[in-house]
Structure formats: structure tokens, C-alpha cells
Amino acid sequence: MSDNQPLTKNLNLLLCNLQLFYQNVRGFHWYTRGNTFFELHQKFEELYIYLFEYIDEVAERIATLGGKPIFAPTEIQAQATIPVAQDLTDGTNNLRQSLASLQVIIDNEKEILAMAMQAKDYGTVELIQHHLAKQEKLAWLYHSYLT
């Protein structure tokens, strides 16, 4: 398949955001302290395992479309619109940061979905639709926990 440059560019943005989010969640898993430790430690582990698998799917989709997945840490940080996490010991704050990151991911996915539908790229549509539903549910769960 030839490179669909606008679509692979947006998929690479998603890939960078997912990779930075993954690293942040690893930090949340390692550093969260306090009375929510046990429940959040488990949830952050579930999230980083999920993100690890999703990252691979997005990278392989980029390659399938003829693009080159971004992998270099400096380029990931330069391209990502998710900030590097701060103050990693407060579990509630970590969950808030996760919710904000999920919203960035959801916004990326919606933009990619619209582009892929217009391009009749049904492989990308299927990939994004599958994960978009999961991201929206996670955002709802995190929001419900925080309110």
C-alpha cells in the first residue's frame, strides 16, 4: 500500500501520544502512594498492559499504510501533545492526569476515524472504532471514580 501521508501523520501523532501516556502510566504504577494504592496500582497495571498492545497495533497500521512509525524517545516527546506526568505519588492526581490523557487520545482517534472513513480505509476505521469505544469507557470510569 502506498503511504497515505495525512492519515499516517495523524496515526503517528496518536502513536506518540500513546507511547508518552504509556510511560506516564508506568510511573503512576510505580510511584502511587496512599490509601488508594492497592486499587490504583492494579488499575494502572491493567492500563499500561492495554496501552502496550495498542501501541503495537497503531505502529503496525502505520507500516501497513506505507508510513514509518515514530519510535525515538526524543521525537515522541517532541510530537506528543500529552505532557510528561508530574507529581506521581498522588493517586487521585495520577488518575486525573490519566483522564486528561485519555481525552487527548479520544480526540486523536475521532480525527483519525473521520479521515479514515473519508479515505475508505476500512482497516484503520475498524482499528480506531474498536479502541475508541474502550477509551470512552475508560474515561467514563475514571471520571466516575473522581466525582
Side-chain angles (χ1 to χ4, degrees), residues 32-33 36 40 44 88-96 146:
T32 293
R33 299 290 181 263
T36 60
L40 292 180
F44 290 135
L88 303 179
T89 59
D90 182 334
T92 301
N93 185 47
N94 292 343
L95 204 55
R96 280 191 189 100
L146 291 167

CSV table of all heavy atoms in Angstrom, one decimal, residues 32-33 36 40 44 88-96 146:
chain,number,residue,atom,x,y,z
A,32,THR,N,2.6,5.7,42.8
A,32,THR,CA,1.4,6.0,43.6
A,32,THR,C,1.5,5.5,45.0
A,32,THR,O,2.0,4.4,45.2
A,32,THR,CB,0.1,5.4,42.9
A,32,THR,OG1,-0.1,6.0,41.6
A,32,THR,CG2,-1.1,5.6,43.7
A,33,ARG,N,1.1,6.3,45.9
A,33,ARG,CA,1.2,6.0,47.3
A,33,ARG,C,-0.2,6.4,48.0
A,33,ARG,O,-1.0,7.1,47.4
A,33,ARG,CB,2.3,6.8,48.1
A,33,ARG,CG,3.7,6.5,47.5
A,33,ARG,CD,4.1,5.0,47.9
A,33,ARG,NE,5.4,4.7,47.5
A,33,ARG,CZ,5.7,4.1,46.3
A,33,ARG,NH1,4.7,3.7,45.5
A,33,ARG,NH2,6.9,3.8,46.0
A,36,THR,N,-5.3,4.7,48.4
A,36,THR,CA,-5.9,4.1,47.2
A,36,THR,C,-4.8,3.3,46.4
A,36,THR,O,-5.1,2.9,45.3
A,36,THR,CB,-6.4,5.2,46.2
A,36,THR,OG1,-5.3,6.1,45.9
A,36,THR,CG2,-7.5,6.0,46.9
A,40,LEU,N,-5.5,1.4,42.8
A,40,LEU,CA,-4.9,2.2,41.6
A,40,LEU,C,-3.7,1.5,41.0
A,40,LEU,O,-3.5,1.5,39.8
A,40,LEU,CB,-4.6,3.6,42.0
A,40,LEU,CG,-5.9,4.5,42.3
A,40,LEU,CD1,-5.5,5.9,42.6
A,40,LEU,CD2,-6.8,4.5,41.1
A,44,PHE,N,-3.6,0.8,37.1
A,44,PHE,CA,-2.5,1.4,36.3
A,44,PHE,C,-1.8,0.3,35.6
A,44,PHE,O,-1.4,0.4,34.4
A,44,PHE,CB,-1.6,2.3,37.1
A,44,PHE,CG,-2.2,3.6,37.5
A,44,PHE,CD1,-2.0,4.0,38.8
A,44,PHE,CD2,-2.9,4.3,36.7
A,44,PHE,CE1,-2.5,5.2,39.2
A,44,PHE,CE2,-3.5,5.6,37.1
A,44,PHE,CZ,-3.3,6.0,38.4
A,88,LEU,N,4.0,12.3,40.8
A,88,LEU,CA,3.5,10.9,40.6
A,88,LEU,C,3.0,10.2,41.8
A,88,LEU,O,2.5,9.1,41.7
A,88,LEU,CB,4.6,10.1,39.9
A,88,LEU,CG,5.1,10.7,38.6
A,88,LEU,CD1,6.2,9.8,38.1
A,88,LEU,CD2,4.0,10.8,37.6
A,89,THR,N,3.1,10.7,43.0
A,89,THR,CA,2.8,9.9,44.2
A,89,THR,C,1.3,10.0,44.6
A,89,THR,O,0.8,9.1,45.2
A,89,THR,CB,3.6,10.4,45.5
A,89,THR,OG1,3.4,11.8,45.7
A,89,THR,CG2,5.1,10.1,45.3
A,90,ASP,N,0.6,11.0,44.1
A,90,ASP,CA,-0.8,11.2,44.5
A,90,ASP,C,-1.7,10.5,43.5
A,90,ASP,O,-1.8,10.9,42.3
A,90,ASP,CB,-1.1,12.7,44.4
A,90,ASP,CG,-2.6,13.1,44.8
A,90,ASP,OD1,-3.5,12.2,44.7
A,90,ASP,OD2,-2.8,14.2,45.3
A,91,GLY,N,-2.3,9.4,44.0
A,91,GLY,CA,-3.1,8.5,43.1
A,91,GLY,C,-4.2,9.2,42.4
A,91,GLY,O,-4.5,9.0,41.2
A,92,THR,N,-4.9,10.1,43.1
A,92,THR,CA,-6.0,10.9,42.6
A,92,THR,C,-5.5,11.8,41.5
A,92,THR,O,-6.1,11.9,40.4
A,92,THR,CB,-6.8,11.7,43.7
A,92,THR,OG1,-7.3,10.7,44.7
A,92,THR,CG2,-8.0,12.4,43.1
A,93,ASN,N,-4.4,12.5,41.7
A,93,ASN,CA,-3.9,13.3,40.7
A,93,ASN,C,-3.4,12.5,39.5
A,93,ASN,O,-3.6,12.9,38.3
A,93,ASN,CB,-2.7,14.1,41.2
A,93,ASN,CG,-2.1,15.1,40.2
A,93,ASN,OD1,-2.9,15.9,39.6
A,93,ASN,ND2,-0.8,15.1,40.1
A,94,ASN,N,-2.9,11.3,39.7
A,94,ASN,CA,-2.5,10.4,38.6
A,94,ASN,C,-3.7,10.0,37.8
A,94,ASN,O,-3.6,9.9,36.5
A,94,ASN,CB,-1.7,9.2,39.1
A,94,ASN,CG,-0.4,9.5,39.8
A,94,ASN,OD1,0.2,10.6,39.5
A,94,ASN,ND2,0.1,8.6,40.5
A,95,LEU,N,-4.8,9.8,38.4
A,95,LEU,CA,-6.0,9.4,37.7
A,95,LEU,C,-6.5,10.6,36.9
A,95,LEU,O,-7.0,10.4,35.8
A,95,LEU,CB,-7.0,8.9,38.7
A,95,LEU,CG,-8.1,8.0,38.1
A,95,LEU,CD1,-7.5,6.8,37.4
A,95,LEU,CD2,-9.0,7.5,39.2
A,96,ARG,N,-6.4,11.8,37.5
A,96,ARG,CA,-6.8,13.0,36.7
A,96,ARG,C,-5.9,13.2,35.5
A,96,ARG,O,-6.4,13.5,34.4
A,96,ARG,CB,-6.7,14.2,37.6
A,96,ARG,CG,-7.9,14.4,38.6
A,96,ARG,CD,-7.9,15.8,39.2
A,96,ARG,NE,-8.9,15.8,40.2
A,96,ARG,CZ,-8.6,15.7,41.5
A,96,ARG,NH1,-7.4,15.5,42.0
A,96,ARG,NH2,-9.6,15.7,42.4
A,146,LEU,N,-13.6,9.8,40.1
A,146,LEU,CA,-13.1,11.0,40.6
A,146,LEU,C,-14.2,12.0,41.1
A,146,LEU,O,-13.9,13.0,41.8
A,146,LEU,CB,-12.3,11.8,39.5
A,146,LEU,CG,-11.0,11.1,39.2
A,146,LEU,CD1,-10.4,11.7,37.9
A,146,LEU,CD2,-10.0,11.3,40.3
